Amino acid sequence: MAAVKSILNESRDIERAVALIQLGARLQVLEYETSLSYERLLRLYKEVAGKSPSKGQLPFSTDWFLTWQPNIHASLFLNIHEYLSKSSEIEEIDAVIKAFRLYSEQMTASAIEPLLSITRAWRLVKFVDSGMLTLTKCSCCGGHFVTEPYENARHFVCGLCQPPARAGKGAASGGLRLH
Amino acid sequence: MDNEQLLAEIREANLTYLMLAQNLIRKDRAEALFRLGLSEEAADLLVMLSPAQMLKIASSNMLLCRFRVDDDLVWNLLTNHNVKKVENGTTTRLHASILMAGRFADSMAAAH
């Protein structure tokens, strides 16, 4: 399918790329999700964002998603993502874009700094697709949280039902607090 | 408030709900299903309604939209009541959001 050059597909690709750039996605995400050439993406990026894309590798580790505060953000995003992809038939990248917008909206509404970037959110979905991370049901509240795939579901308790000792003590403003 | 007035307010709320739902579904269907907590079938029916039909449906003694939180745990988190370890309102509401997004996905999966 990808080999077929169609103006319609291209216009959809450009539309998606623009949406992703506006949300702050890294160039690698655009390269992966659209069939536009690197040169065209670079030009598009400069046109939409008004600057050159940041360079360097993408974050590749699953650890970040498992630390206390990022885990809560990642879990909210992934729950919204699951909801969207289960309730309507949309392509995965569109589900990521829409879920990320809904997640950001909630962060703004509750005046919490959005820890998850669109690039991280996209990475998270890829990790889940490849079985490196999954959603596990908390045995206490019944909510679904991002965990490693071999987490024991019978004994798993999420970071909100049982926050770790040092949770919520960070000095950063806009972070989550326990009290 | 007399009965007449109450009925007028229910009709008003129904009409506002129907119009908002239609706007949301027309703007972005997938997003609207999440925001409204509706099934695809219900959304398809809603979006087809003409203004005249909406007026008729809205004129009822029953509200058309139903309370979305049907669970003590989520309700306690939203209102910050009966919470043990975490007593920060923002954090408990975030917990409630995770639960709500997850539960509806659950019920959606069960329905299919």
Side-chain angles (χ1 to χ4, degrees):
Chain A
M1 279 300 283
V4 184
K5 280 226 169 182
S6 134
I7 295 178
L8 269 180
N9 283 344
E10 194 178 277
S11 103
R12 213 178 44 194
D13 270 352
I14 293 177
E15 212 175 293
R16 276 185 189 140
V18 170
L20 284 165
I21 296 167
Q22 281 168 343
L23 292 172
R26 298 276 297 268
L27 207 59
Q28 288 95 324
V29 181
L30 309 177
E31 279 189 272
Y32 190 92
E33 293 295 344
T34 68
S35 45
L36 302 171
S37 71
Y38 179 79
E39 287 71 29
R40 298 194 74 194
L41 283 174
L42 203 61
R43 263 172 53 203
L44 191 65
Y45 198 103
K46 284 182 187 158
E47 221 175 295
V48 176
K51 58 176 175 123
S52 296
S54 39
K55 295 189 176 65
Q57 285 200 320
L58 290 186
F60 56 86
S61 154
T62 55
D63 292 348
W64 186 84
F65 298 101
L66 301 172
T67 48
W68 185 68
Q69 208 174 157
N71 184 258
I72 296 165
H73 287 255
S75 300
L76 176 62
F77 167 80
L78 201 58
N79 272 292
I80 299 174
H81 180 270
E82 292 285 289
Y83 190 108
L84 293 179
S85 47
K86 271 181 193 160
S87 60
S88 356
E89 278 184 29
I90 46 175
E91 287 193 36
E92 185 161 293
I93 186 60
D94 293 329
V96 171
I97 295 173
K98 288 178 201 295
F100 188 77
R101 286 206 185 113
L102 288 165
Y103 156 81
S104 309
E105 246 176 42
Q106 276 206 13
M107 291 300 108
T108 314
S110 20
I112 305 172
E113 201 184 329
L115 279 189
L116 202 68
S117 66
I118 180 77
T119 307
R120 288 246 199 225
W122 174 78
R123 249 345 243 180
L124 173 63
V125 173
K126 295 281 167 236
F127 280 140
V128 173
D129 283 349
S130 60
M132 291 166 76
L133 288 172
T134 188
L135 280 174
T136 303
K137 200 170 177 170
C138 167
S139 60
C140 181
C141 69
H144 300 266
F145 289 81
V146 175
T147 64
E148 292 184 306
Y150 46 81
E151 183 71 52
N152 187 336
R154 266 171 56 203
H155 304 293
F156 170 69
V157 179
C158 74
L160 282 167
C161 288
Q162 216 170 71
R166 289 168 46 76
K169 303 230 163 66
S173 63
L176 292 179
R177 294 259 172 268
L178 296 185
H179 302 288
Chain B
M1 205 186 281
D2 59 29
N3 210 34
E4 198 85 338
Q5 216 177 333
L6 275 175
L7 287 174
E9 291 206 8
I10 291 176
R11 191 178 59 223
E12 192 84 347
N14 280 340
L15 203 54
T16 308
Y17 173 74
L18 289 172
M19 291 192 320
L20 176 65
Q22 272 200 341
N23 282 340
L24 287 173
I25 298 165
R26 283 185 186 140
K27 188 174 153 267
D28 188 315
R29 197 159 166 281
E31 228 178 69
L33 296 185
F34 175 80
R35 291 188 201 273
L36 295 162
L38 288 178
S39 67
E40 275 192 294
E41 294 76 17
D44 287 342
L45 288 174
L46 247 171
V47 84
M48 303 269 284
L49 295 177
S50 69
Q53 281 175 308
M54 288 210 286
L55 267 173
K56 259 191 211 151
I57 298 169
S59 309
S60 159
N61 59 356
M62 287 179 283
L63 269 177
L64 290 171
C65 52
R66 198 165 52 173
F67 200 51
R68 192 165 174 165
V69 180
D70 54 358
D71 161 334
D72 281 353
L73 180 66
V74 177
W75 190 237
N76 284 335
L77 285 169
L78 279 174
T79 53
N80 212 14
H81 281 156
N82 289 331
V83 285
K84 285 167 268 165
K85 300 228 168 58
V86 182
E87 34 186 75
N88 178 288
T90 312
T91 309
T92 54
R93 273 197 303 280
L94 194 56
H95 196 177
S97 303
I98 294 177
L99 291 179
M100 284 172 77
R103 301 251 159 120
F104 285 99
D106 270 353
S107 66
M108 212 61 90
H112 281 280

